[in-house]
Amino acid sequence: MDHPEEIYPMVKLRMAAARISKQIPPEEHWAFAYTMLQKVSRSFALVIQQLGPELRNAVCVFYLVLRALDTVEDDTSVPTEIKVPILESFYRHLYDLNWSFLCGTKDYKILMDKLQLVQIAFLELNKDYEEAIEEITRRMGAGMAKFIQKEVETVDDYDEYCHYVAGLVGLGLSKLFYVARLEDLASDSLSNSMGLFLQKTNIIRDYLEDINEIPKSRMFWPREIWSKYAEKLEDFKYEKNFEKSVQCLNDMVTNALIHVEDCLQYMAPLKDQAIFRFCAIPQVMAIGTLALCYNNVNVFKGVVKMRRGLTARVIAETNTMKDVYGAFYEFSVLLESKIEDKDPNSSLTRKRIEVIKKACTASGSITKRGKYLNEGRSSYNSIMMMLVFLLVPILLALLFLNKQ
């Protein structure tokens, strides 16, 4: 109840999720695709539903194909000599309904077990969509195979790996938007940055989960960065090393911030409202997550992420580029407030934050601040609390009726 302004967006989000569960297509292959999408990525399933039917189907299949490819890469129980050829040839198997490769766990195992249904959906797409998805799958599989056999040593290696697993997703989505005749074709450089910013955020946030991976860990923090602070990457999870752990974390966050300006440039000219929200919501979530992770030792104790209510607000209130500039500015201010002079990278971090703030203010779109940071909102919260007690029963009733 510390954030009553988040209750209504949370109820709206629950209602939206309930509606999505009712909109599953009747055909078996499409029903599987959209049901599986909700299981492997609830947040993505929400934003994808805003797209028009044709583009939504293409993006859904694109995501599941790449998720299946990623499942092969992530399964550390599969020997390298088996995994590498599968990754390199995966794109060709999209057309072979008799092909299968069993791996993964939980929902990802189900996806691989029934991949044929995704393939059937893929084969129903417009030829231009098929070719775009096939090309990105080919390039991503080759890149993943390369890094199965290669450690991430330098920052250049880190950027290259992130390009293969996420930058190419940005390129692929830009091509799908173009094929749908809804957007101009964005440059590869800007599209790549959209993917790198999201991927680097995930890599930073998921340190502990990845380092504890069984049967063996797979880490992508570049040695060029982490070796400045420890002899071994796993040293960061031990309490005695937490001071150095946080310094390395801040170095990693500072590295990720370099992509923000490109991301803002990518989103600014988008014309289609649904595509804009599809692109913008994850980016706002990423800058918010980095602001929370920065200088936060809890990254080495568990998973740091935005609370559900704030996530719901971001989803509900990210509708225009003005909203994006405002959110990036505020989360940058939050991150900036956590910079300590003693941090080895404090000067560089401040410079990168200043670039982001300047890009946001130069837009002329920032007129209201404190939207997400709750500065000076005590009286506002008192009013909101009164409204909440009045409105929650009504909202819950609506949610119940929506499920009927």
Side-chain angles (χ1 to χ4, degrees):
M1 300 302 288
D2 289 339
H3 304 278
E5 71 279 359
E6 295 174 0
I7 294 177
Y8 178 62
M10 285 183 71
V11 173
K12 280 184 65 178
L13 190 60
R14 290 291 299 273
M15 293 174 70
R19 283 196 299 272
I20 288 172
S21 65
K22 288 182 177 181
Q23 296 171 352
I24 301 297
E27 300 88 352
E28 182 187 13
H29 51 291
W30 287 114
F32 175 78
Y34 280 101
T35 301
M36 186 54 54
L37 185 66
Q38 292 181 49
K39 291 182 177 180
V40 299
S41 180
R42 291 182 182 179
S43 57
F44 191 80
L46 280 169
V47 295
I48 196 179
Q49 288 297 328
Q50 303 167 82
L51 302 174
E54 179 184 300
L55 180 59
R56 181 170 65 234
N57 285 347
V59 173
C60 176
V61 170
F62 184 48
Y63 183 88
L64 290 176
V65 166
L66 298 186
R67 179 57 71 183
L69 183 65
D70 188 57
T71 300
V72 176
E73 185 211 20
D74 281 349
D75 194 331
T76 53
S77 68
V78 179
T80 298
E81 62 271 18
I82 294 175
K83 182 182 292 189
V84 168
I86 293 294
L87 291 171
E88 292 175 334
S89 62
F90 194 92
Y91 74 100
R92 290 200 294 266
H93 298 305
L94 293 176
Y95 299 92
D96 182 1
L97 297 179
N98 295 316
W99 180 84
S100 66
F101 182 74
L102 305 183
C103 63
T105 60
K106 300 178 181 178
D107 289 328
Y108 301 100
K109 181 180 184 301
I110 297 172
L111 173 61
M112 296 304 295
D113 288 348
K114 298 186 177 182
L115 189 62
Q116 183 186 67
L117 293 173
V118 178
Q119 293 170 281
I120 293 171
F122 168 77
L123 293 172
E124 285 189 3
L125 297 176
N126 175 290
K127 191 70 176 175
D128 290 336
Y129 289 129
E130 284 185 10
E131 290 176 355
I133 293 170
E134 178 190 353
E135 173 63 11
I136 295 300
T137 305
R138 180 189 67 79
R139 293 169 66 182
M140 184 178 291
M144 286 177 168
K146 177 179 179 178
F147 277 91
I148 291 295
Q149 306 167 89
K150 172 183 171 64
E151 293 294 323
V152 179
E153 297 285 344
T154 66
V155 172
D156 285 344
D157 290 340
Y158 182 43
D159 286 344
E160 184 182 8
Y161 172 76
C162 290
H163 164 73
Y164 287 132
V165 301
L168 286 173
V169 178
L171 270 67
L173 287 171
S174 293
K175 185 62 181 291
L176 296 182
F177 301 156
Y178 177 72
V179 169
R181 298 181 180 179
L182 295 172
E183 299 290 349
D184 297 329
L185 185 60
S187 73
D188 286 357
S189 175
L190 296 183
S191 301
N192 187 59
S193 285
M194 289 283 284
L196 263 63
F197 187 58
L198 298 182
Q199 183 66 19
K200 289 185 176 183
T201 299
N202 291 340
I203 286 173
I204 292 165
R205 181 198 62 197
D206 294 341
Y207 166 85
L208 193 64
E209 179 182 337
D210 291 343
I211 203 73
N212 290 331
E213 180 82 21
I214 296 174
K216 62 179 181 178
S217 62
R218 288 209 65 213
M219 292 299 296
F220 301 99
W221 289 35
R223 182 183 294 272
E224 183 179 339
I225 291 179
W226 66 256
S227 63
K228 293 184 285 184
Y229 308 95
E231 292 184 4
K232 294 183 292 184
L233 188 51
E234 57 265 32
D235 290 347
F236 294 134
K237 67 179 180 178
Y238 301 116
E239 187 173 354
K240 64 180 181 180
N241 301 318
F242 277 173
E243 182 179 354
K244 290 295 184 181
S245 303
V246 170
Q247 290 178 356
C248 183
L249 167 66
N250 294 346
D251 202 338
M252 290 288 291
V253 171
T254 302
N255 171 273
L257 293 175
I258 200 170
H259 303 292
V260 170
E261 207 173 4
D262 277 357
C263 293
L264 294 173
Q265 289 181 33
Y266 179 98
M267 291 183 282
L270 292 175
K271 297 173 287 189
D272 183 87
Q273 174 68 7
I275 288 175
F276 173 79
R277 278 176 49 80
F278 173 82
C279 294
I281 289 169
Q283 298 294 330
V284 173
M285 294 289 293
I287 189 65
T289 299
L290 287 183
L292 293 178
C293 287
Y294 184 84
N295 213 34
N296 189 347
V297 71
N298 289 320
V299 170
F300 304 98
K301 300 178 181 179
V303 177
V304 174
K305 57 184 178 181
M306 293 169 64
R307 60 183 181 273
R308 290 183 181 181
L310 184 53
T311 297
R313 284 193 66 199
V314 168
I315 292 173
E317 299 174 14
T318 303
N319 297 299
T320 67
M321 201 59 206
K322 179 179 178 180
D323 299 328
V324 171
Y325 286 129
F328 268 80
Y329 187 93
E330 284 194 44
F331 285 125
S332 295
V333 168
L334 174 59
L335 194 156
E336 186 178 35
S337 72
K338 299 165 70 176
I339 301 173
E340 299 179 351
D341 290 338
K342 66 180 181 180
D343 185 85
N345 295 282
S346 60
S347 178
L348 180 58
T349 308
R350 286 194 175 99
K351 286 180 181 178
R352 294 207 170 148
I353 287 294
E354 196 56 38
V355 168
I356 297 170
K357 289 167 60 180
K358 185 176 180 181
C360 293
T361 54
S363 70
S365 298
I366 300 179
T367 56
K368 182 180 178 182
R369 297 173 188 171
K371 182 176 180 180
Y372 295 117
L373 301 186
N374 293 323
E375 296 172 352
R377 297 173 69 92
S378 57
S379 60
Y380 170 80
N381 281 352
S382 298
I383 296 171
M384 283 297 299
M385 285 290 289
M386 294 174 63
L387 291 174
V388 163
F389 285 119
L390 291 171
L391 293 176
V392 162
I394 299 172
L395 294 171
L396 291 176
L398 289 172
L399 180 58
F400 175 78
L401 291 172
N402 195 66
K403 289 183 176 181
Q404 299 302 308

